[in-house]
Amino acid sequence: GQLYEYAGFFLNTLGGKAYLYRRDPLTRTLTQYYSVLILDKANKEKMNPYGIDIIPHVDLLKEELKIHKGLSSTKEYLAVLEGIEKTTVR
């Protein structure tokens, strides 16, 4: 419940996005990644009361991951995001 609220805040509100953009790029990217994972799990468990669509966030995050050079598991992160894209019903 509480994780869903925070994930939605970071991805879907102006305040959450502003907070993340004041952080370093690696922290911002990882926070967005795990927020997408939390919202994906909420979608699969039919516990998405705000109806947050994660596909636009997945697309943006994939592009951001391709840019970052300091992240060691980029391929794994991208594979997970592609799996989420394939399994998410729109």
Side-chain angles (χ1 to χ4, degrees):
Q2 197 68 24
L3 284 176
Y4 173 83
E5 296 289 331
Y6 279 109
F9 170 75
F10 287 132
L11 294 179
N12 238 27
T13 67
L14 188 58
K17 290 177 183 180
Y19 176 84
L20 289 178
Y21 278 100
R22 290 191 304 261
R23 304 295 167 242
D24 65 283
L26 188 61
T27 301
R28 178 179 61 239
T29 301
L30 289 175
T31 302
Q32 290 172 333
Y33 175 78
Y34 286 106
S35 293
V36 164
L37 291 183
I38 291 165
L39 292 176
D40 179 54
K41 185 173 180 176
N43 281 336
K44 288 178 179 169
E45 294 178 1
K46 307 282 190 247
M47 299 185 72
N48 187 356
Y50 301 133
I52 299 171
D53 183 15
I54 61 170
I55 295 300
H57 301 290
V58 169
D59 293 337
L60 290 172
L61 190 55
K62 282 173 46 178
E63 293 303 317
E64 198 165 325
L65 281 169
K66 291 175 186 175
I67 294 170
H68 287 301
K69 304 295 181 206
L71 201 56
S72 62
S73 301
T74 302
K75 289 181 183 179
E76 289 84 4
Y77 292 133
L78 288 170
V80 170
L81 291 174
E82 288 172 7
I84 289 172
E85 272 186 325
K86 290 177 185 175
T87 61
T88 300
V89 178
R90 291 198 90 184

